[in-house]
Amino acid sequence: MNYREMRLQAKEVLNGCCRMCADCDGKICAGEVPGMGGTGSGVSFRNNVEALRRILLNMRIVHGVQKPDMSTEIFGMKLRLPILAAPIGGISFNMANMMPEQDYIRSIIGGCREAGIAGCSADGPKAEMFDSGLEALRENEAFGIPFIKPWDGSEFDEKLARCAEAGCKVVGSDIDSVGMAALAKMGRPASPKTPEQLAVMVEKAHNAGMKFIAKGIMSSVDAFLAHKAGCDGIVVSNHGGRVLDGTPGTANVLPGIAALLKGKLTILADGGIRSGEDVLKMIALGADAVLIGRPFAQAVAGGGKEGISLLVRRYANQLSHAMLMTGCGTIAEIDDRAICR
């Protein structure tokens, strides 16, 4: 199988819930939530892609870089590339039930590990979403990151304890999922957390021996509050444009957040990343690594673990070339000098 064949297979398997557009920018699938689109007009999804597209790379050729080193370490995980597969679940209602939930997440967690990167597992209104993700992590020596919704009551605590028991060293919560229409439709809404409540969540994770990531940060104010609450990391994310219509792209807000917190906690970012060049742009804007969602879901649909291998190889080739052409020998050397202001 090659990359083109994988995408053709994915289009057939996804059967219209994702059109596998050549330019995955959210225009055709606007409003398709549940589904693969962005909420409402889809402008938040589109802004993610457009924000990255407007950033230009600063080509530099007079340098001594020969073979860029793309490796990095995130929360103790040594990665071949600064990429993690974002937490995506709900295969039955988001992806036309293309495969059982457990098969999908096994491909993500196992396939990413084999490809030299890490995968994240998701949570949701159906027990199988969290359960299958945690089982996949167990099978892979907890190499990856489980995410838990900011549930009210005891559910968050119970799932946190299960993550610790499975050997996870880091856990995340997609706190922006309070805006997910699918959760509300299924009678499982989650509520916003005060700074004090977030601090309690962090403390519980730390007491269980795990680091904590808050996903869904889109302002310097929230970033500062997450840092003050003790978070070890944040994900600058608007949930792929799926929780609030009319937000800026993540690449628009990332520099301000990085200016405030770079070096004080781990900064991850997602939203509209479609190439190795986009990965470089996000890191130049201040991210330590990136999360990528829809392309990994498409890769699993088209080829399972093999699809992930093809996608990661593509990103690696693109990122290596972009680093060479911008004079960046290592991930640590990528900064805003790599982009045109």
Side-chain angles (χ1 to χ4, degrees):
M1 177 183 288
N2 58 35
Y3 183 77
R4 181 176 178 277
E5 290 169 342
M6 178 269 286
R7 286 185 56 84
L8 288 173
Q9 177 66 16
K11 186 171 185 177
E12 182 177 339
V13 170
L14 288 166
N15 192 29
C17 70
C18 174
R19 281 76 160 182
M20 295 297 296
C21 302
D23 189 7
C24 180
D25 59 5
K27 292 179 180 178
I28 293 178
C29 57
E32 296 182 3
V33 180
M36 297 286 275
T39 193
S41 70
V43 71
S44 297
F45 182 166
R46 296 197 297 276
N47 282 347
N48 282 339
V49 177
E50 288 298 326
L52 277 169
R53 186 174 290 156
R54 286 192 293 269
I55 295 168
L56 305 178
L57 295 176
N58 186 23
M59 193 168 79
R60 291 181 52 237
I61 304 302
V62 183
H63 57 70
V65 177
Q66 297 293 323
K67 187 176 181 181
D69 180 0
M70 298 176 287
S71 66
T72 192
E73 185 170 322
I74 300 294
F75 297 113
M77 295 182 292
K78 294 181 179 180
L79 308 179
R80 174 189 170 202
L81 305 171
I83 294 174
L84 299 90
I88 292 179
I91 307 308
S92 61
F93 52 87
N94 281 319
M95 292 178 239
N97 206 27
M98 67 176 186
M99 64 178 64
E101 195 84 33
Q102 58 268 31
D103 292 350
Y104 172 81
I105 196 60
R106 276 198 180 105
S107 291
I108 288 287
I109 300 297
C112 284
R113 187 185 183 194
E114 290 175 12
I117 63 170
C120 300
S121 65
D123 189 13
K126 295 184 177 181
E128 65 174 345
M129 293 172 63
F130 182 80
D131 294 348
S132 57
L134 200 57
E135 183 58 32
L137 285 164
R138 286 180 191 276
E139 293 171 357
N140 287 275
E141 300 177 312
F143 194 85
I145 303 174
F147 277 79
I148 307 172
K149 300 294 183 197
W151 303 115
D152 297 326
S154 63
E155 185 173 354
F156 177 85
D157 295 352
E158 292 167 355
K159 289 182 174 178
L160 189 69
R162 290 175 60 193
C163 289
E165 190 273 332
C168 298
K169 301 302 182 185
V170 57
V171 66
S173 182
D174 44 340
I175 57 176
D176 59 349
S177 59
V178 298
M180 291 186 70
L183 291 183
K185 287 179 180 179
M186 294 182 181
R188 295 291 310 282
S191 64
K193 302 303 177 203
T194 65
E196 294 77 16
Q197 289 172 323
L198 179 58
V200 170
M201 294 166 69
V202 174
E203 183 179 15
K204 288 176 178 178
H206 288 172
N207 288 341
M210 296 181 290
K211 294 185 177 181
F212 186 89
I213 304 169
K215 182 176 182 290
I217 303 299
M218 283 292 289
S219 71
S220 294
V221 172
D222 272 5
F224 173 76
L225 291 173
H227 174 55
K228 188 177 179 181
C231 291
D232 302 285
I234 58 173
V235 184
V236 179
S237 171
N238 61 12
H239 216 104
R242 294 168 60 77
V243 294
L244 177 65
D245 203 4
T247 70
T250 53
N252 293 132
V253 302
L254 175 57
I257 292 171
L260 181 69
L261 293 177
K262 187 71 172 179
K264 297 180 180 178
L265 46 62
T266 299
I267 301 174
L268 307 176
D270 68 13
I273 300 164
R274 301 291 180 262
S275 67
E277 292 85 0
D278 286 343
V279 174
L280 187 147
K281 291 176 184 179
M282 282 295 205
I283 294 175
L285 293 172
D288 294 303
V290 304
L291 274 66
I292 301 177
R294 291 176 180 91
F296 275 98
Q298 294 165 348
V300 171
K305 288 183 178 181
E306 185 180 358
I308 289 179
S309 177
L310 289 168
L311 182 63
V312 172
R313 190 182 313 153
R314 182 181 178 88
Y315 287 148
N317 290 337
Q318 293 168 339
L319 178 58
S320 179
H321 183 70
M323 289 175 68
L324 180 69
M325 297 299 290
T326 55
C328 301
T330 67
I331 297 302
E333 291 177 10
I334 300 174
D335 57 26
D336 62 0
R337 291 174 296 180
I339 55 180
C340 291
R341 293 297 188 182

